[in-house]
Amino acid sequence: MSDAVAAYFEEHRESSDLGRRALRGGIISIVIQYGNAVLQIVAAIVLARLLAPEDFGLVAIVTVLTSFAPLLIDFGLLDATAQRSRITPAQVSGLFWVSTGIGVAVAVVVAASSPLIAWIYGDPRLQPIALCVAITFVLSGLTNQHMALLRRTMQFGRIGRIQLFGTLAGTVVAIAAAIAGYGYWALVLRPVISSVCVVVAAWSACHWRPGAPVFDDDVKSMVRFGLHVVGFTVAYTLSRAVDRIALGLLYRPDQVGYYQNAMNLYENSIYSALNQMHAVGSSALSKLQSNPAALRQKYEAALSMLAFFVMPVAAILSVTAEDVTVLLLGQKWQAAGALLSIIALRGISHVVEGSQGWLHLSLGRADRWQNWGILSLAVQIVAVLAGLPFGPAGVAWGVVIGCSLIALPSILYAGQPIGIGTDLVVRAVGPQTIGAVAAAAAGWWLQSTLLSSYPALARLVLSGGFCGCLYLAVVVGVFRQVEPLRIAGTIMQDFIRKR
């Protein structure tokens, strides 16, 4: 075995520079992820002007219905490989063949269900869309363990570049297809091309190759761990998808399209950063699983820093959502901007709720994570049903309120085994939450009164600048929260010196 491959299978050990490595990896990941988001937004701008809202709605119906499938394929084994203290190449081979087999099985099930999907929604166009989407599930099973080994060695920059390459290729093909007049097929081709490119890039970046599998007790233990992880992720993904499933059943495809594009803008600006930090946070904290005191300390510092930078982005996005959407996607998408102004508020509490996985996985308690996923699904269903009679806006408010109510309890439950309580969470995110809420409230007032007659671009710049300054005045000026700025500055200086 070469040294490059052997590095993937080294035992987890606590190191003196773990915090710095994790922060550096997190910053690099987020920077690349936002580069990815810029590509996604460029694609959204171009495709929104070339395609109709109905095109987006048709594809959204299928992708939301099948959004659980990649989670079944992963089966939690990506997290199991990254979290495990010791692992062998033969064991990873066993997990690889499990993921690949599940990918093929899920693709067959989705393809066989395509006539049923078309019948339920009364639109025959959904059947061929579902058949093409099924291809991505086969491809997904071929990359999970390669990406897990890269995450295990904290090569987050390389992971980000792989994802960026896939997004770029899919975007280019989608735009070309839309210009050629293929309509919604441009949106169908996009994930297929991206998946093909990710497979090629992941196998090129990670030189490990699967061999004969081993299914010993350790592998069985990892599969059990993965079962709990996939239990959470399926429940959580369904909780995120239930809004569009319900809207698709009761409202026209164009209404689903508005909601879907609003959600796309939120996910590319807020959720993508949180998702990237999940990989960094869980991988780094897993190396501290034998030292609960250090784990609590590092978790608090990481959560505080993430909240410091993400919460104001959510507040600014909420205030400027309509102007951002119209400027990016065109006047016909103004309804999506109104929805985004509501959905973006979720980012303030999403920072807290999204970090629960760091604790569950680093402590090896995926079973508790699964339990919480089921609870969050129940809360989300109630929230969506409460808002559904009021249309897409009512559903958006239901989602935001439901997420906000369970944010703090999610961390108290996840951190219970190592004594994380309300005081730690308040210390970590209290000032940032107050600053973000104050910035959003003042920004809305400014938008509706003093700036209502201004051009969209000028209003966007003035509102965004006002919200950012108010946030810093509250968090830094009043609460004296300067540590995240100091740490970020130190990491950036270190990164520049190394460059």
Side-chain angles (χ1 to χ4, degrees):
M1 185 189 305
S2 67
D3 292 340
V5 175
Y8 298 129
F9 303 97
E10 291 178 353
E11 183 180 351
H12 279 329
R13 291 186 179 89
E14 182 179 348
S15 60
S16 58
D17 67 337
L18 177 61
R20 182 178 293 273
R21 289 172 58 206
L23 282 172
R24 188 187 303 120
I27 290 172
I28 293 172
S29 296
I30 290 177
V31 169
I32 294 176
Q33 193 62 38
Y34 274 117
N36 201 336
V38 168
L39 272 178
Q40 300 273 14
I41 291 170
V42 168
I45 294 170
V46 177
L47 293 172
R49 295 174 187 274
L50 293 172
L51 304 174
E54 184 183 31
D55 295 327
F56 286 89
L58 285 170
V59 178
I61 289 171
V62 175
T63 54
V64 167
L65 285 174
T66 59
S67 58
F68 67 91
L71 308 175
L72 291 177
I73 297 163
D74 170 53
F75 212 65
L77 301 180
L78 190 153
D79 284 311
T81 299
Q83 184 268 348
R84 201 74 173 183
S85 295
R86 297 183 183 89
I87 198 166
T88 67
Q91 291 169 343
V92 176
S93 292
L95 301 180
F96 170 85
W97 292 115
V98 169
S99 291
T100 302
I102 295 174
V104 173
V106 169
V108 170
V109 170
V110 170
S113 302
S114 59
L116 179 62
I117 294 172
W119 176 77
I120 290 174
Y121 285 91
D123 196 320
R125 293 174 293 180
L126 296 176
Q127 181 174 352
I129 293 175
L131 288 172
C132 289
V133 168
I135 298 171
T136 63
F137 305 141
V138 178
L139 298 170
S140 179
L142 297 173
T143 60
N144 280 340
Q145 287 307 302
H146 292 78
M147 299 293 267
L149 291 173
L150 293 174
R151 184 195 291 187
R152 182 179 176 83
T153 49
M154 301 184 72
Q155 298 184 56
F156 300 111
R158 183 166 289 182
I159 293 172
R161 287 191 292 272
I162 291 171
Q163 294 168 339
L164 188 64
F165 172 62
T167 300
L168 176 61
T171 297
V172 170
V173 171
I175 292 174
I179 292 173
Y182 285 96
Y184 60 83
W185 282 107
L187 301 174
V188 177
L189 284 172
R190 188 177 174 188
V192 176
I193 299 300
S194 292
S195 297
V196 170
C197 292
V198 167
V199 170
V200 173
W203 280 63
S204 299
C206 177
H207 298 294
W208 169 82
R209 295 294 178 261
V214 167
F215 296 101
D216 56 17
D217 290 339
D218 285 336
V219 171
K220 293 174 183 176
S221 172
M222 283 187 279
V223 171
R224 285 193 296 271
F225 179 93
L227 274 172
H228 294 307
V229 172
V230 79
F232 167 81
T233 50
V234 168
Y236 190 70
T237 299
L238 285 174
S239 74
R240 290 177 55 227
V242 69
D243 49 4
R244 279 150 287 181
I245 292 174
L247 287 171
L249 289 172
L250 297 182
Y251 294 89
R252 301 188 312 272
D254 62 327
Q255 295 298 308
V256 183
Y258 290 130
Y259 192 97
Q260 177 66 26
N261 258 0
M263 190 61 73
N264 284 342
L265 289 172
Y266 170 77
E267 291 184 348
N268 285 321
S269 56
I270 305 294
Y271 182 72
S272 60
L274 300 181
N275 194 41
Q276 204 65 23
M277 283 306 298
H278 167 77
V280 177
S282 58
S283 297
L285 293 180
S286 291
K287 300 180 186 301
L288 300 172
Q289 53 191 279
S290 60
N291 188 345
L295 198 156
R296 282 195 303 270
Q297 180 186 16
K298 295 296 184 184
Y299 169 75
E300 180 179 350
L303 178 59
S304 178
M305 185 169 178
L306 184 64
F308 186 92
F309 291 105
V310 174
M311 284 187 177
V313 174
I316 293 170
L317 182 62
S318 176
V319 171
T320 61
E322 290 196 46
D323 292 329
V324 168
T325 304
V326 170
L327 286 171
L328 291 179
L329 307 184
Q331 191 65 41
K332 68 180 178 181
W333 292 97
Q334 186 173 6
L339 293 172
L340 179 60
S341 68
I342 303 169
I343 293 169
L345 290 174
R346 184 183 180 186
I348 297 175
S349 59
H350 209 166
V351 175
V352 179
E353 183 204 1
S355 69
Q356 62 173 298
W358 308 356
L359 297 170
H360 286 303
L361 293 178
S362 62
L363 296 172
R365 294 306 307 268
D367 55 327
R368 292 172 62 85
W369 203 26
Q370 175 184 261
N371 296 340
W372 189 262
I374 295 170
L375 175 63
S376 66
L377 173 60
V379 171
Q380 196 77 334
I381 290 174
V382 172
V384 169
L385 290 177
L388 198 57
F390 305 98
V395 170
W397 275 116
V399 168
V400 171
I401 293 170
C403 180
S404 300
L405 290 175
I406 65 174
L408 177 60
S410 71
I411 302 304
L412 299 183
Y413 179 72
Q416 186 180 32
I418 56 172
I420 290 178
T422 304
D423 55 339
L424 184 148
V425 180
V426 171
R427 282 198 310 271
V429 302
Q432 296 93 316
T433 303
I434 294 171
V437 171
W444 284 341
W445 172 82
L446 186 69
Q447 284 274 85
S448 60
T449 55
L450 301 181
L451 301 180
S452 59
S453 60
Y454 279 57
L457 182 59
R459 188 167 53 234
L460 189 156
V461 173
L462 291 172
S463 296
F466 172 78
C467 291
C469 291
L470 180 60
Y471 173 82
L472 290 174
V474 173
V475 178
V476 178
V478 176
F479 290 101
R480 305 295 179 185
Q481 283 276 339
V482 297
E483 187 66 9
L485 288 174
R486 186 192 67 78
I487 293 174
T490 301
I491 295 297
M492 291 307 295
Q493 288 175 4
D494 182 49
F495 179 76
I496 292 170
R497 280 197 303 270
K498 290 196 172 186
R499 285 291 180 186

